Structure formats: structure tokens, C-alpha cells
Amino acid sequence: MTVQGIVTSLSLVALAGSLGMPAFAQTSGESQEILEEVVTVGTRTKARSVSESPVPVDVLNANDLAKSGSSDMLDLLKGSVPSFNVHDQPISDAASMIRPVNMRGLSSDSTLILVNGKRRHRASVIAFQGGGLNDGAQGPDISVIPSVALKQVEVLRDGAAAQYGSDAIAGVMNFVLKDDAEGGSLEVKSGEFFEGDGQATTISGNYGMPMTDAGFLNLSFQMKNVDDTSRSVQRPDAQEMIDAGNTAVAAPAQIWGSPKIDDDLTLFANFGIDLQDGSEIYAFGNHSTRTVDGGFYYRNPNGRDGVYTTGDVRLVGALDGNAASCDAYRTVPLADGSDMVTSGLTADDNCFVFNKMIPGGYTPRFVGDITDNSITAGRRGEFSDGFMQGWNYDVSASVGRNEAQFGLNNTINPSFGPDSKRNFDTGAYIQLEKTLNFDVQKQFDTLSLAMGTEWRDESFQIIAGEGMSWQVGPLADQGFNIGSHGFAGFSIDSAGTAERSNYALYVDVENQLTDDLLLGGALRYEDFDTFGDTANYKLTFNWQLTDNVAWRGSHSTGFRAPTMGQASVVNTQTSIVGGQLTQAQTLPAPKLGEAELTPEESVNFATGLVMSAGDVDVTIDAYYIEVEDRIALTDNAAPTDAQRAAMAAAGVPNPELIGQINYFANDFDTETTGVDVVATYGAELFDGVTDFSLAYNWTKTEVNGGDATCGGAFLNDQGEICKAVRLERGLPEHRASFTVAQNWDKLSAFVRTNFYGEYVGVHADWFGEQLGSEFTMDMEVSYQAAESVSLTAGASNLFDNMGGKIDGSIVGAPDNVLGGIYYETSPYGIGGGFYYLKAGYEF
């Protein structure tokens, strides 16, 4: 075949390395989550045994990965990879819709996501309230990938930007789709939390069919609906109003818990067919949709400045435009509202207070319709003639699109007074990415040489919301807030598309110098049409010291380019500052007269041992990651005169009315040090097959420079938990899981104990405390009722551990501050125990 068939995506089909342990049988339970005998990721040469890998890779079997009450891929991974963390994110704006993750303590956009070895597009959602650890991160939406569509998940735990490009500072996750050409499965799963809420029902299926006698088409679907949860009590301020006779206050007024997810539908397809010349054409893609509905902070009718109050008196608007006509009422005290009656305010049709319209206060509901689509197609094979004869090639093209259509219900645009709507279409974000790859590889005796090129185009689009969601109403000049309250709509001035393209060239060499020594190296050059170019390298080795011990290691440099969303987004969000609700507008740095974003730069070092002794296998890997110029949101602050002038010059509407701003900046540096330990043992016990597995991770992050450090203080100048505290102590430094899996003829079971070390629990961003270590336990039992039918019962967090209970006394507040009971940053969630039943049918 000639050079028109051409080469592989730089996000290669393979990840090499592994934890260096033998594979167990397919029924061996949890041990299969971590081990696989041969892997092909992180390298561009042929598949090799795990003990020969120069870098650590977890290979997670999809069937065992799904042994959980949750059907969300984020929760499945959290239970299998100790260095992988994800929070529930209650009351976190768009982060509640697409939850950001952390691997090795770094933000979600520091881990590159691949599907079938090809780069996955990122989500359109930016986590403005990402729990401190992910504030401003814009990573891919992993939750759309269902376990039923997967053959396995490969987790490369090493910096790999020199191989795969931007975003691979913490590592790489490769989701490998099923490629069966026959058979299929159906599964129904249902469960709920021990508290009786959060009911979840999932129906999933997979079907493989042949395409002629040389190909396959594998189709998967998952349908899911999940009810919301509440771990809340009535807020003290709301209860005081109820006790005073206000019957319009909701119970509870504010909810801490997981959002409601409706009509969550995902379709995946994977296709491949061998051609007569020995090459293969392939394609895969997905379509996913869901609606997410979550709660916000309660707006107190006696204390929400800019809506109900101004200072310690009622905020009164003169509907005739003559502010002086209502001066007599602007001293009405708050109290229980009875003074509004005695003063005549409630009877005055011209002088308006929102207590007339919404007497019990209100809690906005943030809703989002998430749509995710992707398709990749390509051809791979071997050149049969010409100057490239004998070279393997892979040429592919990918398009990925993620759209988040936002809405805010049960709120108001205060500046429109009594004419305000209550539900708003606030606009949308759209992330679109297009990628072309051409890679070649050839084996020269003991040396493998690979090279290739990649072109990528990324755009971030803001679509304006409906007019009243952002327009300035007639009461704005009398002190009433502007925009749909809680999440202002995107204005026409904010709408538009920011686009960037880049190309990359790479070369990758691996040489098996001797039977015992493997050396490898990679060099990658990328040029972006915005900030310029960058070059990065990686060196690896694997030295088989004895028959039972191998030493491996790597050193690399890397980078993470700022996303187009981070560089161009406009957003208004509500957060807690010093215990008070505050609205802040995020603007692109240049519109504030600040510096353009530049890439984060990283240096990685890793070394480890792969050891075996009889039926025991152990790997120990240590790593160090230094990241300079990390991109993050600055703290909320009042605009300076210079910033207001820059906003006016850039065409930002009404800069004089913007009270708080923030922006993305290259703000600080971090150093992350850690150790991963994995041990497995297989035996025949209790008249069956028993597998034991232990996985442990220690990660410590130190923050240097920028606004993040707060001079060593626990709180910053705005009364929020300091970024450094959250980055350094917001996740447990120690995490571990120990699993025992037992298999008999028709019965199988596993028990997994999870350990979470000490961490700082944070509530509502403005206070927290050091919390102790905790254990949780998961359990599942499956019975093969017939040849094709299996029945399963299980429980996650069996002993119903809710996480750290809020101690409001540390700030002189009651235990149920803002209605919360538990610190929502618990690493295992605040939902508590979850039980589930499922039935599966294979054909």
C-alpha cells in the first residue's frame, strides 16, 4: 500500500508498562482491576510484559471496575486508583454538572484523557467553584463513558507530555472500547442511599456484530436517572423567620447534597474492519445527553444585600423612577418585617421591596443540559512498497463537541423589580476540538523508532442568554443587583468564539540494549498560534536486576497550555466571602489590563521497583512533579481604577456597577511528591479461588508564591480558606484500599476496605478544620442463577460513614451553618451508605 493510508495518532493506541504483576483469571475479582499481563500504553513499540515496562500503568478490567453502587465512571475510578480523587461538589455552580477530578493532587486538566488511544476533547464547563483544588479547571467529561462500553481502562501514572502533548503532566487515562464481534449483555441496576434518597436506576447494554468476516461493530448504551439527595437541616436564620411567623420559608431553605440527574443517555459505537491489503479502517464515537438540576445558596429576605436590603435597612425601589419619592421608607429596619406594615410600605404601590413579591426568600436552582458528541475515524496498517516499506502507519481524524446549556430557575433579576421573570435561559458554553494525526513506527532489530505529527484546533464559544438574564433594569441605579441572581446570563457583549490551532512533531525511540536493559526517549515540539512554541523530552529505562526484581524510572519535562475557555471566558458566580454571599465577575485578563496566560511548565522524576516472590507481586513507585506558573482564578477583589478603565476600553458593559472581579492568571508554583505501592497475592482457599490486593498512595503538595500562599494564614484577606491550605491539605495525603475477592462455581464475592488519611474539611469556602482519618467498606455478592443470568447485591460505604461533621464553633457559629451538617469536601462523599441490586443477562 502507498503512503496515502497514513499514520497513528500521537495519542497512541497503547500505554506501556503496568504494575508489573501477572494476570489473574477473568473471575478473580478486584485483583483484575489493577493487573494485566501484557500492556501497550505509554510506548509506540509492540506490546510487552508488564515487568518490562519503564513506567507504571494500572490496567483496570471493566467488569470488575463496575463492581460499585454507582454507574458514574468517576466514582468507579475513585474506588480503584488511590491517587485518583473526586468530590461530590454540592452548590458549586457548573462544577456540580461536570465534576472535576484530581490525580496525584493536580487539577483535572493536568490528566490527559484518551479513548482507544486518541485524545478526548475537554468539556465546555469551567469549574469556577472546583473545591479549591480545581478552581478554574477545564478537563474532559469522563462521566459520559459507561463501563458497559469498555474492555479496560489503562492509567499511566507518569508525566507524558513529551509523548502525548499538553495536559499529560499528572498522567494519562486511556479508555479502551469493547471490540467483540458477537454476543452481548443487558443489565438493570437500582439502588438508593441508606437515608432513603438518591434513588438511581440504570439500564445498560452491549451488542457486538460481525461486519463481513473480517470486521466488527460493537454498540453500547446506558440510560440513567438519579434523584437528588439532602444532608441538610434548616438554616438557623430561616428557622428564626419561621418562628416569627413567616410561613413562606421553604423547609429546608437550602440543600447540601447531590443534584438531580434526568434522562442521562449515552450511546457508544466502535467499528473496525480488515482490508484485503492487510490494513484496517476503524471508527468510534459517542452521543450523550443529560439534564442536571442542583441547588444554590438561600437568599434571606432580611439580609440579602442588593435584593432585599442595603446595609441594615430595607432596599426600597421607586417604580416611578424618582428615588426621593420613597426616601421615607429607606430607614425601615429589618427585624421580622412588621415595620413594613406599620410604616405603610407594603401598601404603597410605587415603593417596591422584594418582600412583597417573595416574602420567604428564595433559593435559585441551577440547571444544565449537557450534550457531548465525538467521532474518530482512521486507517492503520503497514506500507508494502516505496521508501516507507515495512513501516507501520496510523492516520486518523477526530472531532469532539461538548455543549452546556445553562438555566437558572426560582430567582430574579433584581434590577427589574416586580417585572422580573423567575426562570432564565442564561446562555451556553460550547467546546469544539478537531484533531488530525499521522504516525509511523518501525522495528529495527532491538530498536523501535516512531515519529509523527499532530494538528489540533480548539474553540470555545459563549452563547448569550435571554435579555433579562443579563440586562440592566430600571432599578439598577437605586442599588438593585443586575442579572439573573446567582448566575447572571451571558450578555451579547460576552458572546463570541475564541479559537486556537497548533501543530506538533515528535520522535520516540526505544532500544532493548541487552536482555536486561531497556532505554527509551521521546522528543516533542509544538507550536501554538497564540502564545508560541514549546519543546519537551522524556527519558525512560527498565533494568532487570534479577529474575524477580526490576528497576524502572523516568525523567521528563512537560507543559499544559491554557484552555481557550480559561483565556476568554466571561462569567458571573456567587460565592461565600467572609460568611456573606458575594457576586463576582470573571473576565479575560487582557480586558482588565492584566497579562495574557502562558503555559504551565513541569518537570517530572519517577523511579520504582517491580518485584515478585512466588505468588506475591509488589510494585513501588516514587515520583516528584514540579509545576511552574500554574493557572488559577485570582481571589475575588474590587476592581482597581486601572482595571475599570481597562474594562471600559475593552467594551465591558457597565464597569462602574461591577463590585467584585477575578481572572485567570499564572499565579503560583507547586511541588508534588508521592509514592504508589501495589501488592497482590493469589491462592486457592475455601474450596475456591481467592485474590488479595493492596493499593496505597501517598501524595504531598507544597505551594510556592503567588496569591495562593496567604502568608501561611488559614484564611485569605477575603475570609475564604486560603488556596494553599486547600491545595496542600484539601485531599488526604494517604489513601489505600485492601480487597479480598472470592470465587466459587456459581457464587462470587468481594470485600474492599478503603482508608482515607487526614485532610482539611471545608464548608462553603469560608471555614474548615483538620479532620482525622477514616475507613469505609464496600461489599458485593453475585450468584450465577442460570448460564446467562446473574444476580447481584451490594453496598458501598457499608457502615454509612458520612464524613466529618461540621464544627461551627470554630468560627462562633452553630453546628448547622447554612444548613449543612457535614463538610462537603469529604473524599468519599457526604451521601453515606448506598445499597444496590442488579440483574445481568449475557447472550
Side-chain angles (χ1 to χ4, degrees):
M1 132 150 241
T2 61
V3 182
Q4 62 193 40
I6 315 190
V7 223
T8 174
S9 150
L10 172 50
S11 327
L12 186 69
V13 191
L15 247 76
S18 143
L19 295 173
M21 319 192 184
F24 292 115
Q26 193 74 3
T27 59
S28 63
E30 290 299 303
S31 59
Q32 185 71 18
E33 291 183 1
I34 303 173
L35 312 174
E36 195 74 21
E37 190 169 11
V38 175
V39 290
T40 56
V41 187
T43 183
R44 288 183 168 80
T45 187
K46 61 184 180 181
R48 56 163 58 97
S49 67
V50 295
S51 62
E52 296 173 334
S53 168
V55 290
V57 177
D58 299 332
V59 181
L60 312 178
N61 177 275
N63 292 329
D64 291 326
L65 188 68
K67 290 183 177 180
S68 168
S70 176
S71 297
D72 190 315
M73 180 56 62
L74 302 180
D75 295 320
L76 302 183
L77 291 168
K78 181 175 67 174
S80 301
V81 183
S83 62
F84 184 90
N85 291 272
V86 60
H87 287 157
D88 284 347
Q89 302 289 156
I91 312 183
S92 297
D93 283 4
S96 298
M97 300 177 180
I98 299 179
R99 293 186 294 162
V101 303
N102 303 91
M103 193 162 80
R104 291 188 163 180
L106 299 179
S107 61
S108 64
D109 43 17
S110 294
T111 299
L112 178 63
I113 304 301
L114 311 176
V115 174
N116 281 358
K118 307 298 182 182
R119 177 182 284 265
R120 177 79 177 170
H121 61 281
R122 70 181 74 253
S124 57
V125 163
I126 300 172
F128 290 101
Q129 296 183 29
L133 301 159
N134 281 294
D135 290 351
Q138 188 186 0
D141 185 4
I142 303 174
S143 67
V144 303
I145 305 174
S147 61
V148 72
L150 298 177
K151 177 192 295 185
Q152 64 188 33
V153 181
E154 302 165 330
V155 184
L156 170 62
R157 295 181 283 111
D158 193 47
Q163 297 168 289
Y164 297 98
S166 177
D167 305 351
I169 290 176
V172 180
M173 287 187 173
N174 184 31
F175 293 83
V176 183
L177 300 176
K178 287 180 179 176
D179 55 6
D180 300 320
E182 60 182 8
S185 64
L186 285 172
E187 181 180 276
V188 178
K189 178 164 61 176
S190 183
E192 67 178 26
F193 286 96
F194 293 1
E195 294 288 307
D197 58 7
Q199 291 84 2
T201 300
T202 304
I203 303 173
S204 59
N206 174 264
Y207 180 63
M209 66 185 77
M211 300 296 289
T212 72
D213 59 353
F216 70 90
L217 174 62
N218 194 275
L219 303 173
S220 303
F221 78 93
Q222 178 176 279
M223 296 184 296
K224 180 171 60 175
N225 284 283
V226 182
D227 289 343
D228 50 356
T229 65
S230 174
R231 299 296 175 265
S232 315
V233 293
Q234 185 59 285
R235 286 173 50 136
D237 56 343
Q239 188 60 51
E240 288 176 4
M241 287 184 291
I242 293 174
D243 294 342
N246 191 329
T247 60
V249 180
Q254 181 172 312
I255 294 176
W256 295 94
S258 300
K260 182 179 177 63
I261 302 175
D262 287 327
D263 302 324
D264 188 344
L265 172 64
T266 291
L267 306 173
F268 262 86
N270 190 24
F271 164 82
I273 190 167
D274 295 330
L275 304 180
Q276 292 183 350
D277 63 0
S279 65
E280 176 194 13
I281 56 173
Y282 60 87
F284 56 89
N286 78 285
H287 170 70
S288 305
T289 61
R290 69 180 182 273
T291 299
V292 184
D293 184 343
F296 258 23
Y297 292 106
Y298 172 60
R299 272 61 180 171
N300 187 311
N302 284 346
R304 186 59 180 101
D305 195 69
V307 181
Y308 287 100
T309 63
T310 178
D312 58 358
V313 297
R314 298 286 172 194
L315 177 59
V316 184
L319 301 184
D320 63 2
N322 178 15
S325 64
C326 295
D327 281 348
Y329 301 119
R330 292 201 171 93
T331 58
V332 175
L334 305 179
D336 61 5
S338 59
D339 288 326
M340 289 191 296
V341 177
T342 58
S343 67
L345 174 56
T346 54
D348 192 323
D349 292 335
N350 177 58
C351 299
F352 175 77
V353 287
F354 270 105
N355 304 75
K356 295 181 180 182
M357 180 176 171
I358 318 171
Y362 60 96
T363 304
R365 300 288 299 183
F366 192 38
V367 297
D369 291 318
I370 312 298
T371 303
D372 187 279
N373 295 289
S374 71
I375 186 169
T376 296
R379 184 173 182 175
R380 54 182 165 235
E382 180 180 325
F383 292 117
S384 58
D385 55 27
F387 73 97
M388 294 293 290
Q389 183 176 357
W391 285 78
N392 301 310
Y393 68 87
D394 186 341
V395 60
S396 65
S398 301
V399 178
R401 183 182 187 273
N402 184 277
E403 177 176 356
Q405 179 72 48
F406 301 120
L408 197 66
N409 297 336
N410 193 42
T411 189
I412 50 175
N413 181 333
S415 65
F416 279 89
D419 297 326
S420 174
K421 295 182 61 175
R422 296 302 307 277
N423 299 329
F424 299 87
D425 169 10
T426 55
Y429 291 153
I430 298 175
Q431 177 77 17
L432 178 64
E433 297 182 28
K434 293 167 279 187
T435 306
L436 297 175
N437 291 101
F438 174 62
D439 302 339
V440 294
Q441 182 272 337
K442 186 173 184 179
Q443 191 73 32
F444 298 91
D445 194 17
T446 62
L447 184 143
S448 169
L449 175 62
M451 61 187 73
T453 183
E454 178 178 81
W455 174 85
R456 196 164 73 249
D457 183 85
E458 172 186 355
S459 67
F460 180 81
Q461 182 179 4
I462 301 176
I463 296 178
E466 62 177 304
M468 193 176 283
S469 72
W470 55 268
Q471 288 173 347
V472 178
L475 298 183
D477 60 0
Q478 297 182 44
F480 287 81
N481 287 164
I482 300 168
S484 46
H485 203 243
F487 187 91
F490 310 133
S491 68
I492 291 178
D493 302 278
S494 302
T497 302
E499 188 172 5
R500 177 183 69 201
S501 63
N502 68 286
Y503 70 88
L505 303 170
Y506 81 87
V507 61
D508 194 325
V509 179
E510 291 187 11
N511 193 358
Q512 191 73 47
L513 289 179
T514 70
D515 291 341
D516 297 327
L517 181 60
L518 169 71
L519 295 179
L523 181 64
R524 184 184 182 96
Y525 171 82
E526 292 207 35
D527 186 79
F528 292 78
D529 64 6
T530 51
F531 57 78
D533 59 2
T534 179
N536 295 276
Y537 65 87
K538 182 170 184 176
L539 302 173
T540 62
F541 75 91
N542 184 295
W543 187 5
Q544 194 72 37
L545 302 177
T546 71
D547 290 341
N548 299 321
V549 179
W551 176 29
R552 63 188 178 192
S554 67
H555 164 57
S556 63
T557 62
F559 74 104
R560 188 186 74 78
T563 72
M564 291 313 298
Q566 291 169 336
S568 62
V569 70
V570 176
N571 184 69
T572 301
Q573 68 274 1
T574 300
S575 59
I576 293 285
V577 176
Q580 300 297 319
L581 286 177
T582 300
Q583 286 191 285
Q585 186 162 16
T586 301
L587 292 166
K591 290 190 176 183
L592 294 166
E594 305 294 340
E596 293 268 11
L597 292 176
T598 60
E600 300 175 351
E601 297 183 349
S602 67
V603 177
N604 293 56
F605 293 91
T607 186
L609 294 174
V610 181
M611 299 170 286
S612 62
D615 293 325
V616 178
D617 294 274
V618 179
T619 62
I620 304 174
D621 292 281
Y623 54 89
Y624 170 81
I625 308 169
E626 179 182 317
V627 186
E628 295 182 350
D629 296 328
R630 281 187 62 165
I631 297 170
L633 277 172
T634 63
D635 291 332
N636 297 340
T640 64
D641 291 340
Q643 288 173 331
R644 290 190 191 277
M647 284 189 278
V652 175
N654 307 302
E656 70 283 355
L657 299 178
I658 298 175
Q660 296 273 308
I661 55 98
N662 58 41
Y663 57 95
F664 284 97
N666 294 96
D667 194 23
F668 55 91
D669 306 333
T670 57
E671 296 179 14
T672 300
T673 308
V675 175
D676 289 321
V677 179
V678 178
T680 64
Y681 172 68
E684 294 184 2
L685 300 173
F686 313 111
D687 296 323
V689 177
T690 308
D691 294 329
F692 301 88
S693 63
L694 171 69
Y696 164 79
N697 170 260
W698 170 74
T699 297
K700 182 176 179 60
T701 297
E702 295 183 2
V703 179
N704 302 307
D707 293 335
T709 56
C710 302
F714 197 78
L715 300 178
N716 64 19
D717 293 338
Q718 302 297 315
E720 300 169 309
I721 297 293
C722 180
K723 287 181 186 176
V725 172
R726 305 198 69 167
L727 289 164
E728 295 177 347
R729 300 160 60 190
L731 294 172
E733 288 187 5
H734 300 273
R735 272 202 60 195
S737 65
F738 177 68
T739 303
V740 179
Q742 183 70 34
N743 292 271
W744 293 281
D745 184 25
K746 292 188 176 182
L747 188 67
S748 63
F750 83 87
V751 177
R752 178 172 56 213
T753 300
N754 307 291
F755 171 76
Y756 301 87
E758 295 180 348
Y759 67 100
V760 169
V762 178
H763 181 58
D765 290 335
W766 61 282
F767 78 94
E769 62 176 313
Q770 182 77 34
L771 299 176
S773 58
E774 295 285 352
F775 287 90
T776 66
M777 182 173 288
D778 307 326
M779 180 180 293
E780 182 178 286
V781 178
S782 294
Y783 176 67
Q784 198 71 30
E787 182 178 357
S788 301
V789 178
S790 63
L791 303 175
T792 301
S796 302
N797 195 351
L798 184 63
F799 298 117
D800 200 25
N801 196 324
M802 297 285 195
K805 194 168 185 178
I806 295 170
D807 180 7
S809 64
I810 62 175
V811 289
D815 287 345
N816 58 346
V817 172
L818 302 179
I821 303 174
Y822 306 99
Y823 288 105
E824 67 271 15
T825 55
S826 165
Y828 46 88
I830 63 175
F834 186 93
Y835 69 87
Y836 57 95
L837 300 171
K838 62 182 176 182
Y841 173 68
E842 295 186 356
F843 56 91

